């Protein structure tokens, strides 16, 4: 049965109102391009100042900050794997990003979260594979966490959204 708490949409994650949005960060946590650059621009300099207090974050880990000027209350900065062909543990590291984000939600009592497609831009992870892992982890979290009210995946293009919709259909068939 399809879980209505999971929403797939096309859009700009910096505009999303949620308890937390997830940033596809790098290990420095000091900003970069892609969604990371967009989040830092929209959040303002206070976010960078807070990130500077955190130190480095290894791939597969996540850190939480305030949302500063964003509509979201918090930002969870997750560092995805750089795609190296698939036999360097990329799948495990990507799955761990999602799990770490959900455990930070539990620790902070958060109910709604929005994810971008972690690692599928500059880090080169093939999106069909990344979508399967992301949605598998999200559906598992929805099953085990009754406190989760809504999980949104915000895709930046129609074609990325279609990839996620197809992957969802394969994992969670609807009649
Ligand atoms: N809202 C939603 N999704 C977005 C947005 C946005 N505003 N902007 C881009 N995307 P990427 P990565 C999509 O490269 O692959 C940074 O420099 C984008 O189309 O942002 O994890 C970091 O500092 C793609 O589908 O993240 C790291 O160095 C997805 O977000 C590195 O890139 C992820 O693409 C991380 O690479």
């Amino acid at each position: 049965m399809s879980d209505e708490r999971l929403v797939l949409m096309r859009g700009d994650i910096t505009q999303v109102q949620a308890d937390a949005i997830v940033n596809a960060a790098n290990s420095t946590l000091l900003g970069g391009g892609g969604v990371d650059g967009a989040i830092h621009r929209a959040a303002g300099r206070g976010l960078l100042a807070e990130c500077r207090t955190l130190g480095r974050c290894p791939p597969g880990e996540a850190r939480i900050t305030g949302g500063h000027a964003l509509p979201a209350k918090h930002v969870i900065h997750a560092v995805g794997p750089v795609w190296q062909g698939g036999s360097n543990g990329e799948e495990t590291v990507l799955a761990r990003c999602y799990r770490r984000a959900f455990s930070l939600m539990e620790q902070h009592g958060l109910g709604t979260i929005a994810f971008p497609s972690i690692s599928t831009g500059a880090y080169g992870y093939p999106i069909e594979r990344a979508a399967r892992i992301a949605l598998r982890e999200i559906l598992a979290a929805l099953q085990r966490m009754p406190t989760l009210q809504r999980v949104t995946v915000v895709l930046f293009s129609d074609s990325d959204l279609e990839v996620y919709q197809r992957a969802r259909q394969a994992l969670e068939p609807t009649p």
Side-chain angles (χ1 to χ4, degrees):
M1 211 185 63
S2 159
D3 194 320
E4 287 173 6
R5 293 174 297 163
L6 171 58
V7 177
L8 307 181
M9 63 174 278
R10 196 188 70 77
D12 174 357
I13 202 167
T14 66
Q15 306 297 309
V16 171
Q17 224 165 354
D19 291 338
I21 62 168
V22 176
N23 182 17
N26 61 61
S27 287
T28 69
L29 299 184
L30 298 179
V35 70
D36 193 6
I39 287 174
H40 275 273
R41 274 193 302 278
R45 297 186 62 80
L47 179 61
L48 182 59
E50 189 178 358
C51 284
R52 283 192 201 286
T53 68
L54 299 176
R56 291 178 68 85
C57 176
E61 293 289 330
R63 305 281 185 266
I64 190 166
T65 65
H68 298 270
L70 292 165
K73 292 187 195 129
H74 301 273
V75 180
I76 293 176
H77 306 263
V79 181
V82 176
W83 180 256
Q84 293 173 294
S87 38
N88 280 291
E90 292 94 327
E91 179 169 343
T92 309
V93 174
L94 185 61
R96 203 176 286 148
C97 287
Y98 289 89
R99 283 188 215 155
R100 292 290 195 257
F102 287 117
S103 56
L104 283 169
M105 284 188 81
E106 264 177 333
Q107 283 167 34
H108 292 263
L110 310 181
T112 59
I113 188 168
F115 288 93
S117 180
I118 299 171
S119 278
T120 65
Y123 281 0
Y125 208 117
I127 190 164
E128 284 81 5
R129 295 185 189 215
R132 272 202 302 272
I133 295 159
L135 294 172
R136 185 189 72 203
E137 292 303 325
I138 290 168
L139 291 169
L142 284 166
Q143 289 241 319
R144 71 171 184 269
M145 287 172 62
T147 53
L148 271 185
Q149 293 155 16
R150 192 175 66 246
V151 180
T152 308
V153 186
V154 183
L155 288 319
F156 210 44
S157 68
D158 287 328
S159 62
D160 286 358
L161 175 60
E162 282 163 23
V163 170
Y164 271 71
Q165 285 167 335
R166 279 197 298 274
R168 180 182 192 172
Q169 181 65 25
L171 286 169
E172 198 194 38
T174 50

